[in-house]
Amino acid sequence: MTGNSKHQDKTASVELVERRLGRQNSKLCLYLDWIRNQAGVEVREYFTVTSCDHRERDAIHPLSTPTGVGILPIREGQVGLIRTFRHPIRDWVWEVPRGFADENEDIRTAATRELLEETGLECAPDDMVELGFHHPEAGILRARIAIYAATRCALKAEPETGEIGLGDLAWIPFDTALAMADQSEIQDPTTCIALYRLLRIGHIDARKDKRA
Amino acid sequence: MTGNSKHQDKTASVELVERRLGRQNSKLCLYLDWIRNQAGVEVREYFTVTSCDHRERDAIHPLSTPTGVGILPIREGQVGLIRTFRHPIRDWVWEVPRGFADENEDIRTAATRELLEETGLECAPDDMVELGFHHPEAGILRARIAIYAATRCALKAEPETGEIGLGDLAWIPFDTALAMADQSEIQDPTTCIALYRLLRIGHIDARKDKRA
């Protein structure tokens, strides 16, 4: 989904002049980027946060593969959401199960793995309905999230505990979840976009009471 | 929109043990947070990125006010989107005009200011239709974006040039923009959520051909 030339403003294009590693933890790298556009406007320490799996050389190319996954499980007209405490905002949010894709991991495999780890739900990769992708905050994060709806999953295991902040899975009627998204009671964009796109494609499993 | 007790898993709650400033640029602060949940799981250098306007003391409280705004301008059934080059993903995206709120700035004032700066469109604060909010990536960013649709705006000025990556405003029929969101041709979550929520509330100005 790289841009087409028709709508590109050449003066807006941005060159990476120099990159320095600012900080690194076990999952993420912060780069301090010196960038400049063709009008000569520059920023010397632009924050770019990226998975450390992505090599520095990648940064001059468009992000072509997903870096993470979000999966909306669906069962009998209900969707599964996790009540999660997110430290940066110091608050509880409703989220689809989600996580990072491992380096070189097939993205559907990543989606089934994350779903199983966080919820205990096992689902065939072929039962994942594609709901496109999004970039959570392309002004800071080198991240693209692939979004799926997961149908026909079976509870196979206890969720792996330990991921910090992660709470329990709750099953919520699809129309209730939609209303929660409309009212900003769901604030996570992956979750909102999953619900709205599922509504737009009219997936039958999402609305049990409207089945033929 | 802080969490209600009914759906909170106490073991998932996360304590901030210690915070260090990792890096800072002209707009953002990266904190390295030592956090721990009640089961004893801890992360020593959790990345929290936040506007430097927010004092460190705020970090132990839920984020109660928006830190940014996204505004979808609407005119005669068309929506205004900006073709923007985003350095972290090294690609062009379609976005609503958006930006940071200044410290202590009224959020509707911030929305009208950002819209004027980025597009030259002037709009009365009262003509902003509230479309709720979202947290772009609550796993990293202490950020909440207030979303508006802006109706009855008038072109008052040339946009201020200079913001790096920012291209030209394009007017796109609402249904075309919706299809672009459905197809992941729009990948910015603020823009997707604005379009979908506007569809859900059925705002009349968005669909000129359906007016009575």
Side-chain angles (χ1 to χ4, degrees):
Chain A
M1 210 57 62
T2 56
N4 62 61
S5 60
K6 177 169 69 164
H7 285 293
Q8 289 171 17
D9 178 345
K10 285 226 166 93
T11 62
S13 185
V14 175
E15 172 197 10
L16 175 63
V17 180
E18 191 181 290
R19 157 160 288 186
R20 288 181 297 134
L21 181 63
R23 285 282 176 178
Q24 178 169 6
N25 69 10
S26 61
K27 287 194 175 176
L28 297 169
C29 282
L30 169 75
Y31 290 107
L32 305 175
D33 290 338
W34 174 9
I35 61 175
R36 183 165 54 202
N37 73 9
Q38 289 177 35
V41 177
E42 56 180 32
V43 178
R44 285 294 182 122
E45 295 200 322
Y46 192 101
F47 275 18
T48 298
V49 175
T50 173
S51 160
C52 297
D53 288 347
H54 294 274
R55 301 298 172 230
E56 188 174 351
R57 61 175 160 71
D58 290 340
I60 59 164
H61 304 297
L63 184 58
S64 57
T65 54
T67 59
V69 291
I71 315 99
L72 181 71
I74 303 172
R75 191 180 65 181
E76 297 181 353
Q78 295 187 315
V79 295
L81 300 181
I82 298 180
R83 191 67 168 165
T84 303
F85 186 87
R86 287 292 179 189
H87 161 66
I89 60 167
R90 300 299 304 164
D91 209 352
W92 295 88
V93 292
W94 286 109
E95 289 183 359
V96 290
R98 63 192 187 101
F100 294 102
D102 292 336
E103 200 176 357
N104 298 323
E105 185 181 33
D106 173 79
I107 197 66
R108 282 176 176 268
T109 305
T112 53
R113 177 184 54 73
E114 282 289 342
L115 186 63
L116 182 64
E117 285 176 8
E118 294 197 354
T119 68
L121 290 169
E122 193 169 83
C123 194
D126 285 350
D127 287 334
M128 296 275 182
V129 178
E130 287 183 17
L131 295 173
F133 66 91
H134 75 112
H135 300 126
E137 175 45 272
I140 304 172
L141 308 174
R142 188 167 172 84
R144 167 186 281 181
I145 311 299
I147 312 172
Y148 295 94
T151 59
R152 287 192 286 260
C153 303
L155 195 62
K156 285 288 181 179
E158 283 295 303
E160 289 178 20
T161 54
E163 187 170 331
I164 203 156
L166 206 66
D168 295 329
L169 184 73
W171 291 98
I172 298 171
F174 180 66
D175 287 341
T176 303
L178 264 182
M180 290 165 69
D182 291 342
Q183 299 301 316
S184 302
E185 290 166 31
I186 295 172
Q187 310 96 355
D188 171 59
T190 308
T191 309
C192 288
I193 291 172
L195 291 166
Y196 288 133
R197 286 193 182 153
L198 194 63
L199 175 72
R200 294 280 290 167
I201 66 172
H203 196 285
I204 190 167
D205 289 337
R207 314 194 105 178
K208 190 191 178 191
D209 51 359
K210 295 197 176 171
R211 283 183 193 176
Chain B
M1 210 57 63
T2 56
N4 62 63
S5 61
K6 176 170 74 162
H7 286 293
Q8 290 170 18
D9 178 346
K10 287 228 167 91
T11 61
S13 185
V14 175
E15 171 196 10
L16 174 63
V17 181
E18 190 181 290
R19 157 161 287 187
R20 288 180 296 135
L21 181 62
R23 287 282 176 176
Q24 178 169 4
N25 69 10
S26 61
K27 288 195 173 173
L28 297 169
C29 282
L30 169 76
Y31 290 108
L32 305 175
D33 291 338
W34 174 9
I35 61 176
R36 183 166 53 204
N37 74 10
Q38 289 178 33
V41 178
E42 56 180 32
V43 178
R44 285 294 181 122
E45 296 200 322
Y46 192 101
F47 274 16
T48 298
V49 176
T50 173
S51 160
C52 297
D53 287 348
H54 295 272
R55 303 296 174 230
E56 188 174 353
R57 58 174 163 72
D58 290 338
I60 59 165
H61 304 296
L63 184 58
S64 57
T65 54
T67 58
V69 291
I71 316 100
L72 181 71
I74 303 172
R75 190 180 65 180
E76 297 181 354
Q78 295 188 313
V79 295
L81 299 181
I82 298 180
R83 191 67 170 166
T84 302
F85 186 88
R86 287 294 180 187
H87 162 66
I89 60 167
R90 300 299 304 166
D91 210 351
W92 296 88
V93 292
W94 287 109
E95 287 184 1
V96 290
R98 63 193 187 102
F100 293 102
D102 293 336
E103 199 175 359
N104 299 322
E105 184 181 34
D106 173 79
I107 197 66
R108 282 175 178 268
T109 305
T112 52
R113 177 185 54 73
E114 282 288 344
L115 186 62
L116 182 64
E117 286 175 8
E118 295 198 352
T119 68
L121 290 168
E122 193 169 83
C123 195
D126 286 350
D127 288 334
M128 296 274 181
V129 178
E130 288 184 15
L131 295 173
F133 65 90
H134 74 113
H135 300 125
E137 176 44 273
I140 304 172
L141 308 174
R142 186 164 171 84
R144 168 187 279 183
I145 311 300
I147 312 172
Y148 295 94
T151 59
R152 288 192 287 262
C153 303
L155 195 62
K156 286 287 182 183
E158 284 294 303
E160 289 176 21
T161 53
E163 186 170 332
I164 204 156
L166 206 65
D168 296 328
L169 184 74
W171 291 98
I172 297 171
F174 180 66
D175 287 341
T176 304
L178 264 182
M180 290 165 68
D182 291 343
Q183 298 300 316
S184 303
E185 290 166 30
I186 296 172
Q187 309 98 356
D188 172 59
T190 309
T191 308
C192 288
I193 292 171
L195 291 166
Y196 289 132
R197 287 193 182 152
L198 194 63
L199 176 72
R200 295 280 290 166
I201 66 173
H203 195 285
I204 190 166
D205 289 337
R207 314 194 105 177
K208 190 192 178 191
D209 52 355
K210 296 197 177 170
R211 283 184 195 175

